[in-house]
Amino acid sequence: MQEDQTNKPLDFVLIGYGYIADRHRAAIEKIGGRIVCVYDIDKSKREKIDSEIPFFDDFNEMTRSKEFEKADFAVILTPNDIHFSIAQTLLRMQKNVILEKPPVLKSEEIEILRRLADNFDKKIYVVLQLRESEKLMELKKQLAGSCNHKVDLTLNMNRGAFYTEGWKGDDKRSGGIFFNIGIHYFDLLIYFFGTPIDFVVESLQTMKAKGWMTFQNADVKWSIDLTVAQD
């Protein structure tokens, strides 16, 4: 007699266990899912994970494990520059993939992943959590009934030493402030107003950028500045 899979909890493998991993773990537990194994190149991350969850610091060993074999989803929480290569591998191994933002750093890479997912009948999901905010969903409804919006998006902040000294401060690895900071808010604008007609970058530095976006019913002036002094 075969086991009834209808109510089987979803099984997840976490690829990378950095600062954002605990939020994913909480979200998985909230829906009744199970983390069946964790991979990270840093062996010290073992201490942050429950002892009953298998931990691997060798990617190939992880993918050969029985825990990985039964996983329904692979959650990619690595530095941005290796999202693409890992996602390709996991799709070919018949896993649905959840990608932290940004999913990739080049537009052609997402098209390659899309085709792979179609070929293997798998799904790719991108974490864009602001779209799940009840207040922002209500704001979207309010904006839908009006037009010709003028928006000034100004982001002034200081992310501290962890940002500049870690991989996020390396533009080649992170994609720079567009992908680390701007993506949250640019996606929110797309969520509100639809596909942009134009996106212009007036100036771009490692810690500062500004420009404008045009939508069918909105004009947006935006700026990002990560050099603001901390209190």
Side-chain angles (χ1 to χ4, degrees):
M1 184 177 183
Q2 291 186 335
E3 180 184 357
D4 181 5
Q5 299 292 308
T6 304
N7 297 315
K8 173 186 174 295
L10 294 173
D11 290 333
F12 296 78
V13 54
L14 301 187
I15 310 297
Y17 206 89
Y19 83 99
I20 200 68
D22 284 337
R23 295 185 186 180
H24 283 268
R25 179 175 180 174
I28 289 168
E29 293 173 350
K30 185 176 181 179
I31 65 168
R34 301 181 299 197
I35 297 175
V36 294
C37 63
V38 173
Y39 161 78
D40 197 292
I41 59 173
D42 184 352
K43 295 181 180 181
S44 68
K45 298 293 179 62
R46 164 79 272 185
E47 301 174 2
K48 298 184 177 182
I49 301 162
D50 292 347
S51 58
E52 66 268 19
I53 298 176
F55 176 84
F56 299 90
D57 57 35
D58 182 290
F59 186 82
N60 291 327
E61 182 182 357
M62 183 269 296
T63 59
R64 292 192 298 265
S65 70
K66 64 181 186 298
E67 291 85 7
F68 176 83
E69 179 66 26
K70 67 181 181 180
D72 302 296
F73 293 87
V75 187
I76 300 177
L77 308 175
T78 63
N80 301 343
D81 61 322
I82 55 177
H83 283 187
F84 175 61
S85 60
I86 294 176
Q88 280 192 100
T89 299
L90 296 173
L91 287 167
R92 292 190 175 108
M93 291 181 171
Q94 303 287 312
K95 301 302 178 188
N96 297 298
V97 170
I98 298 174
L99 282 160
E100 256 295 343
K101 58 196 158 310
V104 293
L105 297 182
K106 299 177 181 178
S107 58
E108 57 265 32
E109 292 175 344
I110 199 66
E111 292 304 321
I112 292 171
L113 294 184
R114 193 196 308 273
R115 290 195 294 270
L116 269 178
D118 289 342
N119 290 342
F120 290 99
D121 194 26
K122 294 300 171 184
K123 299 291 186 182
I124 303 169
Y125 302 91
V126 180
V127 179
L128 297 167
Q129 72 270 26
L130 292 181
R131 295 187 179 212
E132 302 302 315
S133 164
E134 292 184 3
K135 291 183 178 180
L136 293 177
M137 285 190 280
E138 181 59 32
L139 179 57
K140 177 180 172 64
K141 293 178 182 178
Q142 296 173 15
L143 292 171
S146 55
C147 59
N148 300 322
H149 300 283
K150 299 293 183 181
V151 179
D152 188 341
L153 175 63
T154 302
L155 306 173
N156 294 329
M157 62 187 75
N158 189 313
R159 301 303 297 271
F162 95 95
Y163 182 93
T164 55
E165 296 175 3
W167 64 265
K168 286 181 177 292
D170 183 340
D171 288 356
K172 291 182 178 180
R173 300 205 67 193
S174 69
I177 58 177
F178 284 150
F179 292 96
N180 286 327
I181 306 297
I183 189 170
H184 299 272
Y185 303 95
F186 294 145
D187 175 69
L188 199 55
L189 292 169
I190 292 170
Y191 175 62
F192 288 152
F193 304 121
T195 303
I197 298 171
D198 205 357
F199 181 90
V200 174
V201 179
E202 294 181 354
S203 66
L204 174 62
Q205 302 173 35
T206 299
M207 302 293 281
K208 292 182 178 182
K210 65 179 180 178
W212 50 269
M213 299 174 72
T214 302
F215 298 85
Q216 185 174 355
N217 63 341
D219 294 315
V220 179
K221 178 182 178 182
W222 60 265
S223 66
I224 306 171
D225 187 346
L226 304 187
T227 65
V228 177
Q230 291 180 307
D231 292 335

CSV table of all heavy atoms in Angstrom, one decimal, residues 78-101:
chain,number,residue,atom,x,y,z
A,78,THR,N,22.7,32.1,-1.2
A,78,THR,CA,24.1,32.4,-1.4
A,78,THR,C,24.4,33.8,-1.8
A,78,THR,O,23.4,34.5,-2.2
A,78,THR,CB,24.7,31.4,-2.4
A,78,THR,OG1,24.1,31.7,-3.7
A,78,THR,CG2,24.4,30.0,-2.0
A,79,PRO,N,25.6,34.2,-1.9
A,79,PRO,CA,25.9,35.5,-2.6
A,79,PRO,C,25.3,35.6,-4.0
A,79,PRO,O,25.2,34.5,-4.7
A,79,PRO,CB,27.5,35.6,-2.6
A,79,PRO,CG,27.8,34.8,-1.3
A,79,PRO,CD,26.9,33.7,-1.3
A,80,ASN,N,25.0,36.8,-4.4
A,80,ASN,CA,24.2,36.9,-5.6
A,80,ASN,C,24.9,36.4,-6.9
A,80,ASN,O,24.2,35.9,-7.8
A,80,ASN,CB,23.9,38.4,-5.9
A,80,ASN,CG,23.2,39.0,-4.7
A,80,ASN,OD1,22.6,38.4,-3.9
A,80,ASN,ND2,23.2,40.4,-4.7
A,81,ASP,N,26.2,36.5,-7.0
A,81,ASP,CA,26.9,36.1,-8.2
A,81,ASP,C,26.9,34.6,-8.5
A,81,ASP,O,27.1,34.2,-9.6
A,81,ASP,CB,28.4,36.6,-8.2
A,81,ASP,CG,29.2,36.0,-7.0
A,81,ASP,OD1,28.6,35.8,-5.9
A,81,ASP,OD2,30.3,35.7,-7.2
A,82,ILE,N,26.5,33.7,-7.5
A,82,ILE,CA,26.5,32.3,-7.8
A,82,ILE,C,25.0,31.8,-7.8
A,82,ILE,O,24.8,30.6,-7.9
A,82,ILE,CB,27.4,31.5,-6.8
A,82,ILE,CG1,27.0,31.8,-5.4
A,82,ILE,CG2,28.8,31.8,-7.1
A,82,ILE,CD1,27.8,31.0,-4.4
A,83,HIS,N,24.0,32.6,-7.7
A,83,HIS,CA,22.7,32.2,-7.8
A,83,HIS,C,22.4,31.4,-9.1
A,83,HIS,O,21.8,30.3,-9.1
A,83,HIS,CB,21.7,33.4,-7.8
A,83,HIS,CG,21.5,34.0,-6.4
A,83,HIS,ND1,20.6,35.0,-6.2
A,83,HIS,CD2,22.1,33.7,-5.2
A,83,HIS,CE1,20.6,35.3,-4.9
A,83,HIS,NE2,21.5,34.6,-4.3
A,84,PHE,N,22.9,32.0,-10.2
A,84,PHE,CA,22.6,31.4,-11.5
A,84,PHE,C,23.2,30.0,-11.7
A,84,PHE,O,22.4,29.0,-12.0
A,84,PHE,CB,23.2,32.3,-12.6
A,84,PHE,CG,23.0,31.7,-14.0
A,84,PHE,CD1,21.8,31.4,-14.5
A,84,PHE,CD2,24.2,31.5,-14.8
A,84,PHE,CE1,21.7,30.9,-15.8
A,84,PHE,CE2,24.1,31.0,-16.0
A,84,PHE,CZ,22.8,30.7,-16.6
A,85,SER,N,24.4,29.8,-11.3
A,85,SER,CA,25.1,28.5,-11.5
A,85,SER,C,24.4,27.4,-10.6
A,85,SER,O,24.2,26.3,-11.0
A,85,SER,CB,26.6,28.6,-11.3
A,85,SER,OG,26.9,29.0,-10.0
A,86,ILE,N,24.1,27.8,-9.4
A,86,ILE,CA,23.5,26.8,-8.5
A,86,ILE,C,22.1,26.5,-8.9
A,86,ILE,O,21.7,25.3,-8.9
A,86,ILE,CB,23.5,27.4,-7.0
A,86,ILE,CG1,25.0,27.5,-6.5
A,86,ILE,CG2,22.7,26.5,-6.1
A,86,ILE,CD1,25.1,28.1,-5.2
A,87,ALA,N,21.3,27.5,-9.3
A,87,ALA,CA,20.0,27.3,-9.8
A,87,ALA,C,20.0,26.3,-11.0
A,87,ALA,O,19.1,25.4,-11.1
A,87,ALA,CB,19.3,28.6,-10.1
A,88,GLN,N,20.9,26.5,-11.9
A,88,GLN,CA,21.0,25.6,-13.1
A,88,GLN,C,21.1,24.2,-12.6
A,88,GLN,O,20.4,23.3,-13.1
A,88,GLN,CB,22.1,26.0,-14.0
A,88,GLN,CG,21.9,27.2,-14.9
A,88,GLN,CD,23.1,27.3,-15.9
A,88,GLN,OE1,22.9,26.9,-17.0
A,88,GLN,NE2,24.2,27.8,-15.5
A,89,THR,N,22.1,24.0,-11.8
A,89,THR,CA,22.4,22.6,-11.3
A,89,THR,C,21.2,22.0,-10.6
A,89,THR,O,20.8,20.8,-10.9
A,89,THR,CB,23.6,22.7,-10.3
A,89,THR,OG1,24.7,23.2,-11.0
A,89,THR,CG2,23.9,21.3,-9.7
A,90,LEU,N,20.5,22.8,-9.8
A,90,LEU,CA,19.4,22.2,-9.0
A,90,LEU,C,18.2,22.0,-9.8
A,90,LEU,O,17.4,21.0,-9.6
A,90,LEU,CB,19.0,23.2,-7.8
A,90,LEU,CG,20.2,23.3,-6.8
A,90,LEU,CD1,19.8,24.4,-5.8
A,90,LEU,CD2,20.5,22.0,-6.1
A,91,LEU,N,17.9,22.8,-10.8
A,91,LEU,CA,16.8,22.5,-11.8
A,91,LEU,C,17.0,21.2,-12.5
A,91,LEU,O,16.1,20.4,-12.7
A,91,LEU,CB,16.6,23.7,-12.7
A,91,LEU,CG,16.0,25.0,-12.1
A,91,LEU,CD1,16.1,26.1,-13.1
A,91,LEU,CD2,14.5,24.7,-11.8
A,92,ARG,N,18.3,21.0,-13.0
A,92,ARG,CA,18.6,19.8,-13.7
A,92,ARG,C,18.5,18.6,-12.8
A,92,ARG,O,18.3,17.4,-13.2
A,92,ARG,CB,20.0,19.9,-14.2
A,92,ARG,CG,20.1,20.9,-15.4
A,92,ARG,CD,21.5,20.7,-16.1
A,92,ARG,NE,21.6,21.6,-17.2
A,92,ARG,CZ,22.3,22.7,-17.3
A,92,ARG,NH1,23.0,23.1,-16.3
A,92,ARG,NH2,22.3,23.5,-18.4
A,93,MET,N,18.6,18.8,-11.5
A,93,MET,CA,18.4,17.7,-10.5
A,93,MET,C,16.9,17.5,-10.1
A,93,MET,O,16.7,16.9,-9.0
A,93,MET,CB,19.3,17.9,-9.3
A,93,MET,CG,20.8,17.8,-9.6
A,93,MET,SD,21.8,18.1,-8.1
A,93,MET,CE,23.4,17.5,-8.7
A,94,GLN,N,16.1,18.2,-10.8
A,94,GLN,CA,14.6,18.0,-10.6
A,94,GLN,C,14.1,18.6,-9.3
A,94,GLN,O,13.2,18.1,-8.6
A,94,GLN,CB,14.2,16.5,-10.6
A,94,GLN,CG,14.6,15.8,-11.9
A,94,GLN,CD,13.7,16.2,-13.1
A,94,GLN,OE1,12.5,16.2,-13.0
A,94,GLN,NE2,14.3,16.5,-14.2
A,95,LYS,N,14.7,19.8,-9.0
A,95,LYS,CA,14.2,20.5,-7.8
A,95,LYS,C,13.5,21.8,-8.2
A,95,LYS,O,14.0,22.5,-9.0
A,95,LYS,CB,15.4,20.8,-6.8
A,95,LYS,CG,16.2,19.6,-6.3
A,95,LYS,CD,15.3,18.6,-5.6
A,95,LYS,CE,16.0,17.4,-5.2
A,95,LYS,NZ,15.1,16.3,-4.6
A,96,ASN,N,12.4,22.1,-7.5
A,96,ASN,CA,11.9,23.5,-7.6
A,96,ASN,C,12.8,24.4,-6.8
A,96,ASN,O,13.4,24.0,-5.8
A,96,ASN,CB,10.5,23.5,-7.0
A,96,ASN,CG,9.5,22.6,-7.7
A,96,ASN,OD1,9.2,22.8,-8.8
A,96,ASN,ND2,9.0,21.6,-7.0
A,97,VAL,N,13.0,25.6,-7.3
A,97,VAL,CA,14.0,26.5,-6.8
A,97,VAL,C,13.3,27.8,-6.3
A,97,VAL,O,12.5,28.4,-6.9
A,97,VAL,CB,15.0,26.9,-7.9
A,97,VAL,CG1,15.9,28.0,-7.4
A,97,VAL,CG2,15.8,25.6,-8.3
A,98,ILE,N,13.7,28.2,-5.1
A,98,ILE,CA,13.4,29.5,-4.5
A,98,ILE,C,14.6,30.3,-4.4
A,98,ILE,O,15.6,29.9,-3.8
A,98,ILE,CB,12.7,29.3,-3.1
A,98,ILE,CG1,11.5,28.5,-3.2
A,98,ILE,CG2,12.5,30.7,-2.4
A,98,ILE,CD1,10.9,28.1,-1.8
A,99,LEU,N,14.6,31.5,-5.0
A,99,LEU,CA,15.8,32.3,-5.1
A,99,LEU,C,15.6,33.6,-4.3
A,99,LEU,O,14.6,34.3,-4.4
A,99,LEU,CB,16.1,32.7,-6.5
A,99,LEU,CG,16.7,31.7,-7.4
A,99,LEU,CD1,16.5,32.0,-8.9
A,99,LEU,CD2,18.2,31.6,-7.1
A,100,GLU,N,16.6,33.9,-3.4
A,100,GLU,CA,16.6,35.2,-2.8
A,100,GLU,C,16.9,36.2,-3.9
A,100,GLU,O,17.5,35.9,-4.9
A,100,GLU,CB,17.7,35.3,-1.7
A,100,GLU,CG,17.2,35.2,-0.3
A,100,GLU,CD,16.3,36.4,0.1
A,100,GLU,OE1,16.3,37.5,-0.6
A,100,GLU,OE2,15.6,36.3,1.1
A,101,LYS,N,16.4,37.4,-3.7
A,101,LYS,CA,16.6,38.5,-4.7
A,101,LYS,C,18.0,39.0,-4.6
A,101,LYS,O,18.6,39.1,-3.4
A,101,LYS,CB,15.6,39.6,-4.5
A,101,LYS,CG,15.6,40.2,-3.1
A,101,LYS,CD,14.4,41.0,-2.8
A,101,LYS,CE,14.1,41.2,-1.4
A,101,LYS,NZ,14.1,40.0,-0.6
